[in-house]
Amino acid sequence: MRTKFAFLLHPRDTLRDDLRQLLHPAFGLIPDRVLQGALQHLPLPPLITGGIRYDDAPDQQAGWLITVPLSASQLLRLPRAHVHGKINQAVDRARDLGASVVGLGALTAPATLGGQVLQERRDIGVTNGNAFTAAMTHLAVERLLPSLPAHPTIALVGATGSVGSCLTHLLAARTDAALMLIARHQGRLDALAADVSRPGLRVTTSTRMDDVRAADLVVLLTSAAEALLRDEHLRPGAIVLDDTQPRNTDASLLRTRPDVTIIDGGLVQVPGMQLRGTIGLASKVAYACLAETMLLTLDGHEGHFSIGAPGAHKAAHMLDLAARYAHLGFHLAPFRSFGRLLPDGALGSAPRPRLLERA
Ligand SMILES: NC(=O)c1ccc[n+]([C@@H]2O[C@H](COP(=O)([O-])OP(=O)(O)OC[C@H]3O[C@@H](n4cnc5c(N)ncnc54)[C@H](OP(=O)(O)O)[C@@H]3O)[C@@H](O)[C@H]2O)c1
């Protein structure tokens, strides 16, 4: 019998839409402002809003999706004790259901410092899912390289974060592209740049979104809950890979910048997954952080895994696990833009075999 997992989610600030889909159509009638107030002030428990089984064991529940009753901006802005209390309640629920690992989806990871706030817990393993997210984003970047000009510049916005720093290490070890590391705190950027520096690698840092205009490929990895990337930040023909949830790109960019290609990042194809409920993605597609949680329990992992910023060795371990459970899928999803599949060959070629090896 396989061990089980739980995965934490939360609604975005578009509460009416999200709660309508997650819970009941009647929520579509209630204004967002009223719902924000209810979530902030009512003692709402975490809710089970979905479940997952696998094609090779359809009679067994593999895991549960648990919704933390706070919006994206509440997770970032309410007093930490309140937010951590709500997330701990959801983790208690996961443990009581019998999960051995709980994954921290979307902003539940940044809100707990990548899970560091939960690492004293010994009753359940915690992972922020960011090792596999970085590994899959690395594969996506490698796949996009042939579509970029010679000697490209890649901007990593949110480079010092949990996904960002793991991805920066993976890229710095393997690419000849120039890397531009972007976040708000210069000291952390300088430390990361020094950490990954090697002869021949061009690394610059910046705290200004305007500098993104020098990049051919922009990878979005911040914990900001709003659309940070605007049309004036993008050079003609730029490609954007947006890993963020809630996303840092707005669909209006498709209209204002038709020259730019925006790709939904951090997505994994899992054809062997049977999902009950919604995660807002196409059928058989999972967030990479959810896929990490699934892979860990398929492999019987015990204890915590990705906490804080996972090292490149953890990304490599996750690629090994993805290869071990390839009969269920766990490979990079075909590129989509705001949920719409991009035509075959529109960007990038099939991943080169060596890139499917260890990162
Ligand atoms: N698709 C997936 O499967 C998947 C999986 C995991 C995570 N994610 C998403 O990836 C994102 C990052 O998660 P994480 O856990 O790595 O977060 P994190 O550890 O909190 O890192 C956030 C990074 O963004 C920077 N940042 C925050 N606000 C910013 C702003 N306004 N402007 C510029 N930089 C800013 C932070 O540095 P400063 O504080 O110095 O600015 C830091 O470098 C989240 O949206 C998360 O939901 C997606």
Side-chain angles (χ1 to χ4, degrees), residues 24-71:
H24 194 276
F27 282 96
L29 304 171
I30 308 175
D32 278 342
R33 173 180 50 79
V34 174
L35 293 170
Q36 287 274 4
L39 260 52
Q40 181 167 345
H41 298 295
L42 298 180
L44 301 171
L47 296 166
I48 300 172
T49 48
I52 288 178
R53 293 170 189 254
Y54 298 118
D55 283 352
D56 66 356
D59 300 336
Q60 283 176 36
Q61 185 78 25
W64 297 269
L65 306 179
I66 299 179
T67 294
V68 177
L70 288 176
S71 69

mmCIF file of all heavy atoms in Angstrom, residues 24-71:
data_model
loop_
_atom_site.group_PDB
_atom_site.id
_atom_site.type_symbol
_atom_site.label_atom_id
_atom_site.label_comp_id
_atom_site.label_asym_id
_atom_site.label_seq_id
_atom_site.Cartn_x
_atom_site.Cartn_y
_atom_site.Cartn_z
ATOM 1 N N HIS A 24 -19.118 26.025 -4.411
ATOM 2 C CA HIS A 24 -20.537 26.001 -4.769
ATOM 3 C C HIS A 24 -20.850 27.180 -5.686
ATOM 4 O O HIS A 24 -20.335 28.286 -5.463
ATOM 5 C CB HIS A 24 -21.387 26.127 -3.491
ATOM 6 C CG HIS A 24 -22.814 25.775 -3.719
ATOM 7 N ND1 HIS A 24 -23.735 26.676 -4.222
ATOM 8 C CD2 HIS A 24 -23.488 24.613 -3.529
ATOM 9 C CE1 HIS A 24 -24.907 26.092 -4.327
ATOM 10 N NE2 HIS A 24 -24.796 24.838 -3.915
ATOM 11 N N PRO A 25 -21.716 26.966 -6.711
ATOM 12 C CA PRO A 25 -22.040 28.054 -7.644
ATOM 13 C C PRO A 25 -22.581 29.308 -6.935
ATOM 14 O O PRO A 25 -22.400 30.426 -7.434
ATOM 15 C CB PRO A 25 -23.119 27.449 -8.544
ATOM 16 C CG PRO A 25 -22.953 25.972 -8.420
ATOM 17 C CD PRO A 25 -22.353 25.685 -7.087
ATOM 18 N N ALA A 26 -23.196 29.146 -5.761
ATOM 19 C CA ALA A 26 -23.801 30.304 -5.066
ATOM 20 C C ALA A 26 -22.745 31.356 -4.692
ATOM 21 O O ALA A 26 -23.076 32.544 -4.571
ATOM 22 C CB ALA A 26 -24.529 29.831 -3.812
ATOM 23 N N PHE A 27 -21.489 30.941 -4.536
ATOM 24 C CA PHE A 27 -20.453 31.924 -4.186
ATOM 25 C C PHE A 27 -20.259 32.961 -5.302
ATOM 26 O O PHE A 27 -19.781 34.057 -5.059
ATOM 27 C CB PHE A 27 -19.116 31.228 -3.874
ATOM 28 C CG PHE A 27 -19.096 30.611 -2.509
ATOM 29 C CD1 PHE A 27 -19.388 29.269 -2.330
ATOM 30 C CD2 PHE A 27 -18.799 31.382 -1.390
ATOM 31 C CE1 PHE A 27 -19.387 28.703 -1.068
ATOM 32 C CE2 PHE A 27 -18.792 30.822 -0.121
ATOM 33 C CZ PHE A 27 -19.093 29.479 0.040
ATOM 34 N N GLY A 28 -20.669 32.597 -6.523
ATOM 35 C CA GLY A 28 -20.554 33.516 -7.649
ATOM 36 C C GLY A 28 -21.434 34.749 -7.493
ATOM 37 O O GLY A 28 -21.270 35.731 -8.208
ATOM 38 N N LEU A 29 -22.376 34.702 -6.562
ATOM 39 C CA LEU A 29 -23.317 35.825 -6.377
ATOM 40 C C LEU A 29 -22.824 36.802 -5.308
ATOM 41 O O LEU A 29 -23.412 37.859 -5.114
ATOM 42 C CB LEU A 29 -24.698 35.285 -5.963
ATOM 43 C CG LEU A 29 -25.316 34.264 -6.928
ATOM 44 C CD1 LEU A 29 -26.565 33.637 -6.325
ATOM 45 C CD2 LEU A 29 -25.635 34.948 -8.263
ATOM 46 N N ILE A 30 -21.759 36.464 -4.604
ATOM 47 C CA ILE A 30 -21.334 37.287 -3.460
ATOM 48 C C ILE A 30 -20.140 38.151 -3.870
ATOM 49 O O ILE A 30 -19.176 37.638 -4.459
ATOM 50 C CB ILE A 30 -20.940 36.383 -2.260
ATOM 51 C CG1 ILE A 30 -22.072 35.394 -1.966
ATOM 52 C CG2 ILE A 30 -20.617 37.229 -1.022
ATOM 53 C CD1 ILE A 30 -21.751 34.378 -0.897
ATOM 54 N N PRO A 31 -20.172 39.458 -3.593
ATOM 55 C CA PRO A 31 -19.045 40.313 -3.994
ATOM 56 C C PRO A 31 -17.740 39.890 -3.304
ATOM 57 O O PRO A 31 -17.744 39.432 -2.155
ATOM 58 C CB PRO A 31 -19.459 41.714 -3.515
ATOM 59 C CG PRO A 31 -20.918 41.643 -3.243
ATOM 60 C CD PRO A 31 -21.247 40.216 -2.933
ATOM 61 N N ASP A 32 -16.606 40.094 -4.014
ATOM 62 C CA ASP A 32 -15.283 39.732 -3.480
ATOM 63 C C ASP A 32 -15.028 40.376 -2.119
ATOM 64 O O ASP A 32 -14.450 39.754 -1.221
ATOM 65 C CB ASP A 32 -14.179 40.183 -4.454
ATOM 66 C CG ASP A 32 -13.992 39.181 -5.577
ATOM 67 O OD1 ASP A 32 -14.447 38.028 -5.430
ATOM 68 O OD2 ASP A 32 -13.396 39.553 -6.601
ATOM 69 N N ARG A 33 -15.442 41.647 -1.971
ATOM 70 C CA ARG A 33 -15.194 42.404 -0.730
ATOM 71 C C ARG A 33 -15.840 41.681 0.471
ATOM 72 O O ARG A 33 -15.234 41.550 1.530
ATOM 73 C CB ARG A 33 -15.792 43.808 -0.942
ATOM 74 C CG ARG A 33 -15.845 44.744 0.188
ATOM 75 C CD ARG A 33 -16.488 46.069 -0.269
ATOM 76 N NE ARG A 33 -17.764 45.903 -0.975
ATOM 77 C CZ ARG A 33 -18.951 45.677 -0.371
ATOM 78 N NH1 ARG A 33 -19.015 45.590 0.919
ATOM 79 N NH2 ARG A 33 -20.050 45.543 -1.090
ATOM 80 N N VAL A 34 -17.053 41.178 0.271
ATOM 81 C CA VAL A 34 -17.760 40.478 1.349
ATOM 82 C C VAL A 34 -17.047 39.158 1.664
ATOM 83 O O VAL A 34 -16.852 38.795 2.833
ATOM 84 C CB VAL A 34 -19.237 40.227 0.942
ATOM 85 C CG1 VAL A 34 -19.958 39.384 1.977
ATOM 86 C CG2 VAL A 34 -19.936 41.545 0.677
ATOM 87 N N LEU A 35 -16.619 38.472 0.602
ATOM 88 C CA LEU A 35 -15.936 37.185 0.806
ATOM 89 C C LEU A 35 -14.582 37.385 1.503
ATOM 90 O O LEU A 35 -14.210 36.598 2.376
ATOM 91 C CB LEU A 35 -15.742 36.470 -0.538
ATOM 92 C CG LEU A 35 -17.051 35.996 -1.202
ATOM 93 C CD1 LEU A 35 -16.794 35.518 -2.619
ATOM 94 C CD2 LEU A 35 -17.689 34.871 -0.386
ATOM 95 N N GLN A 36 -13.868 38.468 1.129
ATOM 96 C CA GLN A 36 -12.580 38.760 1.802
ATOM 97 C C GLN A 36 -12.811 38.924 3.298
ATOM 98 O O GLN A 36 -12.082 38.373 4.126
ATOM 99 C CB GLN A 36 -11.950 40.067 1.271
ATOM 100 C CG GLN A 36 -11.354 39.988 -0.124
ATOM 101 C CD GLN A 36 -9.907 39.494 -0.154
ATOM 102 O OE1 GLN A 36 -9.335 39.135 0.862
ATOM 103 N NE2 GLN A 36 -9.333 39.440 -1.346
ATOM 104 N N GLY A 37 -13.867 39.675 3.659
ATOM 105 C CA GLY A 37 -14.181 39.914 5.070
ATOM 106 C C GLY A 37 -14.516 38.612 5.783
ATOM 107 O O GLY A 37 -14.059 38.362 6.912
ATOM 108 N N ALA A 38 -15.304 37.764 5.124
ATOM 109 C CA ALA A 38 -15.709 36.493 5.749
ATOM 110 C C ALA A 38 -14.484 35.619 6.011
ATOM 111 O O ALA A 38 -14.320 35.050 7.100
ATOM 112 C CB ALA A 38 -16.699 35.774 4.839
ATOM 113 N N LEU A 39 -13.588 35.545 5.021
ATOM 114 C CA LEU A 39 -12.399 34.705 5.198
ATOM 115 C C LEU A 39 -11.502 35.251 6.307
ATOM 116 O O LEU A 39 -10.878 34.486 7.056
ATOM 117 C CB LEU A 39 -11.600 34.635 3.886
ATOM 118 C CG LEU A 39 -11.803 33.370 3.048
ATOM 119 C CD1 LEU A 39 -13.242 33.068 2.785
ATOM 120 C CD2 LEU A 39 -11.030 33.453 1.743
ATOM 121 N N GLN A 40 -11.435 36.570 6.409
ATOM 122 C CA GLN A 40 -10.546 37.160 7.417
ATOM 123 C C GLN A 40 -11.096 36.980 8.830
ATOM 124 O O GLN A 40 -10.353 36.720 9.771
ATOM 125 C CB GLN A 40 -10.330 38.646 7.117
ATOM 126 C CG GLN A 40 -9.391 39.293 8.122
ATOM 127 C CD GLN A 40 -8.925 40.655 7.662
ATOM 128 O OE1 GLN A 40 -9.073 41.011 6.494
ATOM 129 N NE2 GLN A 40 -8.358 41.420 8.576
ATOM 130 N N HIS A 41 -12.437 37.113 8.991
ATOM 131 C CA HIS A 41 -12.975 37.212 10.350
ATOM 132 C C HIS A 41 -13.669 35.948 10.854
ATOM 133 O O HIS A 41 -13.789 35.757 12.063
ATOM 134 C CB HIS A 41 -13.932 38.399 10.432
ATOM 135 C CG HIS A 41 -13.231 39.703 10.140
ATOM 136 N ND1 HIS A 41 -12.247 40.208 10.965
ATOM 137 C CD2 HIS A 41 -13.343 40.572 9.104
ATOM 138 C CE1 HIS A 41 -11.788 41.340 10.454
ATOM 139 N NE2 HIS A 41 -12.431 41.582 9.321
ATOM 140 N N LEU A 42 -14.187 35.094 9.953
ATOM 141 C CA LEU A 42 -14.917 33.912 10.435
ATOM 142 C C LEU A 42 -13.938 32.766 10.722
ATOM 143 O O LEU A 42 -12.938 32.612 10.005
ATOM 144 C CB LEU A 42 -15.945 33.461 9.394
ATOM 145 C CG LEU A 42 -17.050 34.480 9.069
ATOM 146 C CD1 LEU A 42 -17.996 33.908 8.022
ATOM 147 C CD2 LEU A 42 -17.823 34.854 10.333
ATOM 148 N N PRO A 43 -14.231 31.978 11.743
ATOM 149 C CA PRO A 43 -13.317 30.867 12.073
ATOM 150 C C PRO A 43 -13.526 29.664 11.139
ATOM 151 O O PRO A 43 -13.949 28.588 11.565
ATOM 152 C CB PRO A 43 -13.693 30.532 13.520
ATOM 153 C CG PRO A 43 -15.132 30.911 13.622
ATOM 154 C CD PRO A 43 -15.382 32.053 12.667
ATOM 155 N N LEU A 44 -13.230 29.876 9.848
ATOM 156 C CA LEU A 44 -13.502 28.826 8.861
ATOM 157 C C LEU A 44 -12.422 27.750 8.928
ATOM 158 O O LEU A 44 -11.230 28.072 9.004
ATOM 159 C CB LEU A 44 -13.549 29.410 7.451
ATOM 160 C CG LEU A 44 -14.609 30.496 7.231
ATOM 161 C CD1 LEU A 44 -14.428 31.154 5.867
ATOM 162 C CD2 LEU A 44 -16.000 29.887 7.349
ATOM 163 N N PRO A 45 -12.820 26.476 8.861
ATOM 164 C CA PRO A 45 -11.810 25.402 8.883
ATOM 165 C C PRO A 45 -11.233 25.189 7.481
ATOM 166 O O PRO A 45 -11.828 25.613 6.490
ATOM 167 C CB PRO A 45 -12.637 24.183 9.305
ATOM 168 C CG PRO A 45 -13.994 24.458 8.742
ATOM 169 C CD PRO A 45 -14.192 25.957 8.773
ATOM 170 N N PRO A 46 -10.084 24.499 7.375
ATOM 171 C CA PRO A 46 -9.608 24.104 6.046
ATOM 172 C C PRO A 46 -10.608 23.121 5.435
ATOM 173 O O PRO A 46 -11.268 22.376 6.167
ATOM 174 C CB PRO A 46 -8.279 23.403 6.343
ATOM 175 C CG PRO A 46 -8.337 23.030 7.786
ATOM 176 C CD PRO A 46 -9.265 23.989 8.465
ATOM 177 N N LEU A 47 -10.704 23.108 4.112
ATOM 178 C CA LEU A 47 -11.719 22.279 3.454
ATOM 179 C C LEU A 47 -11.068 21.318 2.465
ATOM 180 O O LEU A 47 -10.148 21.714 1.736
ATOM 181 C CB LEU A 47 -12.701 23.161 2.683
ATOM 182 C CG LEU A 47 -13.547 24.106 3.535
ATOM 183 C CD1 LEU A 47 -14.206 25.151 2.647
ATOM 184 C CD2 LEU A 47 -14.584 23.302 4.306
ATOM 185 N N ILE A 48 -11.570 20.095 2.422
ATOM 186 C CA ILE A 48 -11.109 19.157 1.382
ATOM 187 C C ILE A 48 -11.874 19.502 0.116
ATOM 188 O O ILE A 48 -13.101 19.424 0.085
ATOM 189 C CB ILE A 48 -11.387 17.699 1.787
ATOM 190 C CG1 ILE A 48 -10.654 17.380 3.078
ATOM 191 C CG2 ILE A 48 -10.952 16.749 0.680
ATOM 192 C CD1 ILE A 48 -11.016 16.039 3.660
ATOM 193 N N THR A 49 -11.145 19.919 -0.931
ATOM 194 C CA THR A 49 -11.823 20.341 -2.162
ATOM 195 C C THR A 49 -11.445 19.467 -3.362
ATOM 196 O O THR A 49 -11.763 19.817 -4.502
ATOM 197 C CB THR A 49 -11.504 21.822 -2.471
ATOM 198 O OG1 THR A 49 -10.095 22.020 -2.359
ATOM 199 C CG2 THR A 49 -12.214 22.749 -1.508
ATOM 200 N N GLY A 50 -10.786 18.358 -3.108
ATOM 201 C CA GLY A 50 -10.473 17.461 -4.216
ATOM 202 C C GLY A 50 -9.652 16.277 -3.761
ATOM 203 O O GLY A 50 -9.244 16.195 -2.590
ATOM 204 N N GLY A 51 -9.437 15.373 -4.690
ATOM 205 C CA GLY A 51 -8.641 14.187 -4.381
ATOM 206 C C GLY A 51 -7.987 13.651 -5.644
ATOM 207 O O GLY A 51 -8.373 14.005 -6.758
ATOM 208 N N ILE A 52 -6.970 12.819 -5.445
ATOM 209 C CA ILE A 52 -6.230 12.252 -6.585
ATOM 210 C C ILE A 52 -6.055 10.748 -6.393
ATOM 211 O O ILE A 52 -5.817 10.272 -5.284
ATOM 212 C CB ILE A 52 -4.853 12.959 -6.734
ATOM 213 C CG1 ILE A 52 -5.082 14.379 -7.277
ATOM 214 C CG2 ILE A 52 -3.894 12.171 -7.638
ATOM 215 C CD1 ILE A 52 -3.845 15.224 -7.439
ATOM 216 N N ARG A 53 -6.248 10.025 -7.490
ATOM 217 C CA ARG A 53 -5.939 8.585 -7.567
ATOM 218 C C ARG A 53 -5.059 8.365 -8.795
ATOM 219 O O ARG A 53 -4.955 9.263 -9.631
ATOM 220 C CB ARG A 53 -7.233 7.760 -7.724
ATOM 221 C CG ARG A 53 -8.118 7.821 -6.495
ATOM 222 C CD ARG A 53 -9.498 7.222 -6.748
ATOM 223 N NE ARG A 53 -10.347 7.521 -5.600
ATOM 224 C CZ ARG A 53 -10.709 6.642 -4.689
ATOM 225 N NH1 ARG A 53 -10.351 5.375 -4.811
ATOM 226 N NH2 ARG A 53 -11.446 6.999 -3.677
ATOM 227 N N TYR A 54 -4.481 7.176 -8.899
ATOM 228 C CA TYR A 54 -3.657 6.872 -10.072
ATOM 229 C C TYR A 54 -4.309 5.763 -10.887
ATOM 230 O O TYR A 54 -4.958 4.872 -10.326
ATOM 231 C CB TYR A 54 -2.256 6.418 -9.646
ATOM 232 C CG TYR A 54 -1.484 7.477 -8.881
ATOM 233 C CD1 TYR A 54 -1.092 7.255 -7.565
ATOM 234 C CD2 TYR A 54 -1.157 8.689 -9.478
ATOM 235 C CE1 TYR A 54 -0.390 8.219 -6.854
ATOM 236 C CE2 TYR A 54 -0.456 9.663 -8.777
ATOM 237 C CZ TYR A 54 -0.077 9.419 -7.476
ATOM 238 O OH TYR A 54 0.601 10.378 -6.774
ATOM 239 N N ASP A 55 -4.043 5.785 -12.196
ATOM 240 C CA ASP A 55 -4.608 4.769 -13.090
ATOM 241 C C ASP A 55 -4.171 3.358 -12.706
ATOM 242 O O ASP A 55 -4.901 2.402 -12.937
ATOM 243 C CB ASP A 55 -4.137 5.020 -14.539
ATOM 244 C CG ASP A 55 -4.896 6.167 -15.184
ATOM 245 O OD1 ASP A 55 -5.876 6.654 -14.576
ATOM 246 O OD2 ASP A 55 -4.498 6.588 -16.286
ATOM 247 N N ASP A 56 -2.950 3.225 -12.128
ATOM 248 C CA ASP A 56 -2.476 1.872 -11.822
ATOM 249 C C ASP A 56 -2.971 1.370 -10.464
ATOM 250 O O ASP A 56 -2.661 0.244 -10.079
ATOM 251 C CB ASP A 56 -0.937 1.797 -11.914
ATOM 252 C CG ASP A 56 -0.240 2.640 -10.852
ATOM 253 O OD1 ASP A 56 -0.938 3.347 -10.090
ATOM 254 O OD2 ASP A 56 1.002 2.589 -10.779
ATOM 255 N N ALA A 57 -3.729 2.198 -9.718
ATOM 256 C CA ALA A 57 -4.322 1.750 -8.447
ATOM 257 C C ALA A 57 -5.604 2.570 -8.199
ATOM 258 O O ALA A 57 -5.696 3.303 -7.221
ATOM 259 C CB ALA A 57 -3.328 1.941 -7.300
ATOM 260 N N PRO A 58 -6.582 2.445 -9.105
ATOM 261 C CA PRO A 58 -7.746 3.346 -9.051
ATOM 262 C C PRO A 58 -8.620 3.161 -7.811
ATOM 263 O O PRO A 58 -9.425 4.041 -7.500
ATOM 264 C CB PRO A 58 -8.526 3.007 -10.332
ATOM 265 C CG PRO A 58 -8.029 1.669 -10.753
ATOM 266 C CD PRO A 58 -6.653 1.505 -10.231
ATOM 267 N N ASP A 59 -8.446 2.038 -7.084
ATOM 268 C CA ASP A 59 -9.269 1.814 -5.886
ATOM 269 C C ASP A 59 -8.693 2.509 -4.659
ATOM 270 O O ASP A 59 -9.336 2.551 -3.610
ATOM 271 C CB ASP A 59 -9.386 0.308 -5.589
ATOM 272 C CG ASP A 59 -10.033 -0.414 -6.745
ATOM 273 O OD1 ASP A 59 -10.770 0.257 -7.501
ATOM 274 O OD2 ASP A 59 -9.771 -1.620 -6.909
ATOM 275 N N GLN A 60 -7.467 3.005 -4.774
ATOM 276 C CA GLN A 60 -6.822 3.625 -3.596
ATOM 277 C C GLN A 60 -6.794 5.134 -3.725
ATOM 278 O O GLN A 60 -6.358 5.652 -4.755
ATOM 279 C CB GLN A 60 -5.359 3.183 -3.506
ATOM 280 C CG GLN A 60 -5.135 1.809 -2.982
ATOM 281 C CD GLN A 60 -3.638 1.476 -3.034
ATOM 282 O OE1 GLN A 60 -2.786 2.331 -2.820
ATOM 283 N NE2 GLN A 60 -3.337 0.230 -3.354
ATOM 284 N N GLN A 61 -7.191 5.826 -2.645
ATOM 285 C CA GLN A 61 -7.014 7.276 -2.603
ATOM 286 C C GLN A 61 -5.518 7.554 -2.470
ATOM 287 O O GLN A 61 -4.865 7.040 -1.567
ATOM 288 C CB GLN A 61 -7.765 7.813 -1.373
ATOM 289 C CG GLN A 61 -7.772 9.303 -1.242
ATOM 290 C CD GLN A 61 -8.782 9.967 -2.176
ATOM 291 O OE1 GLN A 61 -9.760 9.350 -2.577
ATOM 292 N NE2 GLN A 61 -8.526 11.204 -2.528
ATOM 293 N N ALA A 62 -4.971 8.350 -3.398
ATOM 294 C CA ALA A 62 -3.529 8.666 -3.311
ATOM 295 C C ALA A 62 -3.290 9.930 -2.504
ATOM 296 O O ALA A 62 -2.279 10.059 -1.814
ATOM 297 C CB ALA A 62 -2.944 8.822 -4.709
ATOM 298 N N GLY A 63 -4.211 10.886 -2.607
ATOM 299 C CA GLY A 63 -4.000 12.142 -1.879
ATOM 300 C C GLY A 63 -5.225 13.028 -1.920
ATOM 301 O O GLY A 63 -6.197 12.746 -2.628
ATOM 302 N N TRP A 64 -5.147 14.102 -1.128
ATOM 303 C CA TRP A 64 -6.261 15.047 -1.012
ATOM 304 C C TRP A 64 -5.780 16.462 -1.313
ATOM 305 O O TRP A 64 -4.623 16.816 -1.004
ATOM 306 C CB TRP A 64 -6.822 15.041 0.416
ATOM 307 C CG TRP A 64 -7.397 13.736 0.840
ATOM 308 C CD1 TRP A 64 -8.700 13.338 0.712
ATOM 309 C CD2 TRP A 64 -6.713 12.646 1.473
ATOM 310 N NE1 TRP A 64 -8.861 12.065 1.209
ATOM 311 C CE2 TRP A 64 -7.660 11.623 1.680
ATOM 312 C CE3 TRP A 64 -5.384 12.426 1.854
ATOM 313 C CZ2 TRP A 64 -7.327 10.405 2.268
ATOM 314 C CZ3 TRP A 64 -5.051 11.216 2.439
ATOM 315 C CH2 TRP A 64 -6.018 10.221 2.650
ATOM 316 N N LEU A 65 -6.675 17.256 -1.859
ATOM 317 C CA LEU A 65 -6.421 18.686 -2.024
ATOM 318 C C LEU A 65 -7.141 19.395 -0.892
ATOM 319 O O LEU A 65 -8.349 19.187 -0.689
ATOM 320 C CB LEU A 65 -6.954 19.186 -3.369
ATOM 321 C CG LEU A 65 -6.459 18.432 -4.604
ATOM 322 C CD1 LEU A 65 -7.092 19.026 -5.870
ATOM 323 C CD2 LEU A 65 -4.935 18.493 -4.709
ATOM 324 N N ILE A 66 -6.420 20.203 -0.139
ATOM 325 C CA ILE A 66 -7.013 20.909 1.007
ATOM 326 C C ILE A 66 -6.902 22.409 0.750
ATOM 327 O O ILE A 66 -5.803 22.917 0.477
ATOM 328 C CB ILE A 66 -6.286 20.536 2.322
ATOM 329 C CG1 ILE A 66 -6.418 19.027 2.571
ATOM 330 C CG2 ILE A 66 -6.848 21.331 3.497
ATOM 331 C CD1 ILE A 66 -5.718 18.540 3.841
ATOM 332 N N THR A 67 -8.032 23.098 0.822
ATOM 333 C CA THR A 67 -8.026 24.542 0.591
ATOM 334 C C THR A 67 -7.912 25.283 1.919
ATOM 335 O O THR A 67 -8.717 25.078 2.834
ATOM 336 C CB THR A 67 -9.300 24.971 -0.161
ATOM 337 O OG1 THR A 67 -9.244 24.395 -1.477
ATOM 338 C CG2 THR A 67 -9.399 26.489 -0.294
ATOM 339 N N VAL A 68 -6.886 26.136 2.011
ATOM 340 C CA VAL A 68 -6.705 27.009 3.182
ATOM 341 C C VAL A 68 -7.634 28.217 2.975
ATOM 342 O O VAL A 68 -7.567 28.865 1.927
ATOM 343 C CB VAL A 68 -5.227 27.484 3.274
ATOM 344 C CG1 VAL A 68 -5.034 28.447 4.437
ATOM 345 C CG2 VAL A 68 -4.294 26.292 3.383
ATOM 346 N N PRO A 69 -8.497 28.529 3.950
ATOM 347 C CA PRO A 69 -9.483 29.582 3.720
ATOM 348 C C PRO A 69 -8.920 30.995 3.906
ATOM 349 O O PRO A 69 -9.362 31.745 4.781
ATOM 350 C CB PRO A 69 -10.586 29.254 4.750
ATOM 351 C CG PRO A 69 -9.867 28.577 5.854
ATOM 352 C CD PRO A 69 -8.694 27.859 5.249
ATOM 353 N N LEU A 70 -7.934 31.350 3.073
ATOM 354 C CA LEU A 70 -7.394 32.710 3.016
ATOM 355 C C LEU A 70 -7.100 33.019 1.555
ATOM 356 O O LEU A 70 -6.674 32.122 0.808
ATOM 357 C CB LEU A 70 -6.092 32.833 3.816
ATOM 358 C CG LEU A 70 -6.189 32.790 5.348
ATOM 359 C CD1 LEU A 70 -4.783 32.822 5.957
ATOM 360 C CD2 LEU A 70 -7.012 33.955 5.896
ATOM 361 N N SER A 71 -7.286 34.289 1.162
ATOM 362 C CA SER A 71 -6.980 34.675 -0.224
ATOM 363 C C SER A 71 -5.473 34.898 -0.368
ATOM 364 O O SER A 71 -4.729 34.941 0.629
ATOM 365 C CB SER A 71 -7.728 35.954 -0.587
ATOM 366 O OG SER A 71 -7.171 37.027 0.146
#
